[in-house]
Amino acid sequence: MQILDGKKASQAIRDELKIEVAQLAIEGKKVPHLAAILVGNNGASETYVAAKVKACEEVGFKSTLIRMEADTTENRLLEQIEDLNNDPDVDGILVQLPLPKHISDEKVINAIDPDKDVDGFHPVSVGKMVLGTPTFLPATPHGIMLLLKYYKVETKGKHAVVIGRSNIVGRPMSVLLSGNGNPGNCTVTICHSNTKDLKEFCLQADIIVAALGRPEFVTADMVKEGAVVIDVGITRVEDDTRKSGFRLKGDVQYDTVAPKCSYITPVPGGVGPMTIAALMKNTFNSCKMKN
Ligand code: NAP
């Protein structure tokens, strides 16, 4: 069993980007600039945005964090996005989800200029991804593809089972894995909360991507020997022994599943860091297109 170390792979990608950014600076060109908007002060969102801003600093990108109050109106947020759309210095715009209930995710995503949609959630980006046209790929599935590539995991002809069909993880993951590329060329089954006999599908899987947000949902009896298991889940569970009062759990029961796998991602340290690496790559590419 080999651990797919997201920290290591992510660091390798960020090291490459660092060199490319330094080169841009030497050539007197503009360096990438990511603008992140955080509405409210959800604890997990604060952590994710802080990690993204830190990653920008590390690779030499410019970053701007715009904090807005939880009771910000939808119109005010849309105006803020429009300002960033019109700012020629900004290459990538990220609005941290989830948003407060009174704000429509859909309106906000649709308001972002597709040329700056480094999260890859805009319908134009999604459409291009489905068609296999170059575009910004959604960061988490893109990060998983980069991780599979980094470890040269064979995907061609394999049966991949994706658990979860959200627009940000499960659905695009199924599209990318079934695409005609490397990694890719899988036969994909997508499961969700209405899937009957989910365990039977999982037992047929060469690759399982668990993205449902149910801690330790995938157990050893659901996994065949030699499978590749990608755990996307991150759930905060109470833990009084930690200073924070919580710890992170994945969707896979790691201790029992890992011994059966050929490859597995840990939580934390697997998919999470790859999501950030993919976001950095998207932002860099956005800047390069304009440079
Ligand atoms: P989501 O929007 O809540 O979607 C969850 C999906 O799982 C839905 O499609 C749902 O089915 C399905 N599901 C829920 N319970 C199920 C069950 N018992 N059996 C089968 N399918 C079930 O979640 P998400 O945004 O995709 O995120 C999923 C997990 O990944 C969360 O833990 C999230 O924190 C984590 N995540 C991690 C990263 C990272 O960087 N590592 C990034 C994004 C998300 P229905 O469609 O039928 O409701």
Side-chain angles (χ1 to χ4, degrees):
M1 184 274 292
Q2 184 170 0
I3 292 173
L4 297 172
D5 184 344
K7 277 193 194 160
K8 188 175 161 197
S10 164
Q11 192 59 56
I13 291 167
R14 286 185 281 165
D15 286 347
E16 273 173 28
L17 285 175
K18 211 171 172 174
I19 294 167
E20 293 193 71
V21 173
Q23 188 57 37
L24 287 179
I26 288 168
E27 291 168 12
K29 292 181 176 158
K30 185 183 124 40
V31 297
H33 180 183
L34 176 71
I37 303 178
L38 178 62
V39 185
N41 40 23
N42 173 294
S45 295
E46 292 265 4
T47 311
Y48 298 146
V49 169
K52 290 166 188 175
V53 168
K54 189 166 161 249
C56 283
E57 282 167 12
E58 191 201 312
V59 296
F61 289 7
K62 194 170 160 186
S63 67
T64 304
L65 173 58
I66 298 161
R67 290 175 171 277
M68 302 180 84
E69 297 296 328
D71 61 359
T72 296
T73 63
E74 186 176 88
N75 274 343
R76 179 65 205 100
L77 176 56
L78 294 174
E79 279 167 14
Q80 179 62 72
I81 292 171
E82 194 52 26
D83 286 349
L84 296 173
N85 284 342
N86 293 327
D87 182 343
D89 192 57
V90 171
D91 302 296
I93 303 170
L94 172 161
V95 180
Q96 187 64 43
L97 301 177
L99 288 166
K101 294 248 174 319
H102 66 281
I103 299 178
S104 153
D105 287 6
E106 193 184 345
K107 271 195 197 167
V108 167
I109 289 167
N110 290 357
I112 296 171
D113 178 347
D115 288 341
K116 299 187 179 189
D117 175 38
V118 289
D119 251 342
F121 297 159
H122 191 283
V124 169
S125 309
V126 176
K128 286 185 176 175
M129 173 191 67
V130 172
L131 294 171
T133 311
T135 187
F136 299 119
L137 300 175
T140 299
H142 185 198
I144 293 170
M145 298 299 272
L146 292 171
L147 187 63
L148 293 170
K149 194 170 179 180
Y150 182 82
Y151 280 96
K152 300 186 172 64
V153 177
E154 181 61 77
T155 57
K156 189 176 173 183
K158 305 287 184 191
H159 179 203
V161 169
V162 178
I163 315 174
R165 57 177 164 184
S166 73
N167 288 338
I168 63 167
V169 189
R171 178 87 56 198
M173 190 76 251
S174 70
V175 173
L176 296 178
L177 285 172
S178 63
N180 184 9
N182 181 27
N185 276 307
C186 291
T187 303
V188 178
T189 301
I190 181 157
C191 297
H192 45 76
S193 65
N194 289 296
T195 300
K196 281 195 183 132
D197 302 325
L198 189 141
K199 181 178 167 181
E200 295 310 313
F201 289 111
C202 289
L203 279 170
Q204 293 168 33
D206 303 306
I207 300 168
I208 295 177
V209 180
L212 65 162
R214 303 274 179 273
E216 301 196 327
F217 180 89
V218 177
T219 46
D221 59 324
M222 297 165 75
V223 178
K224 80 172 178 189
E225 286 290 338
V228 177
V229 174
I230 308 291
D231 189 350
V232 185
I234 311 177
T235 306
R236 287 182 171 200
V237 295
E238 271 186 40
D239 185 345
D240 295 339
T241 66
R242 303 272 174 114
K243 214 168 82 185
S244 61
F246 69 84
R247 68 195 160 104
L248 300 179
K249 275 227 163 184
D251 288 344
V252 175
Q253 197 178 69
Y254 186 88
D255 291 344
T256 60
V257 171
K260 297 185 85 174
C261 297
S262 54
Y263 297 93
I264 187 166
T265 59
V267 176
V271 173
M274 295 310 295
T275 298
I276 295 181
L279 176 72
M280 296 294 116
K281 251 181 131 51
N282 281 352
T283 307
F284 181 80
N285 289 339
S286 175
C287 175
K288 224 167 107 178
M289 283 189 299
K290 294 184 200 94
N291 247 326

